[in-house]
Amino acid sequence: MSPYLMSTTDLAVLSDADTASVSSLAARRRASISVAQAEQLAADRLAVSLLSEFRAAWSVGDRDQMSAVMLAAIDLDQTSPGSPRLMDEIRGLNTQAAA
């Protein structure tokens, strides 16, 4: 929703959330994870999201969306060279399984 269409009460609630306290469990979890691990988790979530988006586009035959997802998958593969390649997963969807 646009902030221009919100009432002042709604805007105040949003700004209050900026200073909300974090639970002790979330604080411990944040303290025990490194920046590299957090970035890897975000990349993994993005890969899963892209793969399911590709499957959805493939099931309806939306070639434009499939191409867009493949380009995003190539970009993701290039930014994280040490992790499994998403394009291999996407190509595997078109490959006949060995009997």
Side-chain angles (χ1 to χ4, degrees), residues 9-86:
T9 308
D10 292 336
L11 285 173
V13 168
L14 284 177
S15 64
D16 285 345
D18 291 342
T19 59
S21 63
V22 178
S23 72
S24 61
L25 177 62
R28 278 193 308 240
R29 193 173 350 163
R30 253 189 225 151
S32 67
I33 191 168
S34 69
V35 172
Q37 289 170 327
E39 288 175 350
Q40 183 60 44
L41 290 172
D44 291 345
R45 283 193 300 271
L46 178 60
V48 168
S49 176
L50 285 172
L51 189 57
S52 52
E53 190 174 338
F54 181 84
R55 286 179 180 156
W58 186 37
S59 68
V60 295
D62 186 355
R63 294 201 181 274
D64 291 335
Q65 184 63 23
M66 289 167 57
S67 297
V69 171
M70 290 173 75
L71 290 174
I74 290 168
D75 287 342
L76 182 65
D77 287 343
Q78 289 177 348
T79 59
S80 52
S83 56
R85 295 176 36 89
L86 182 57

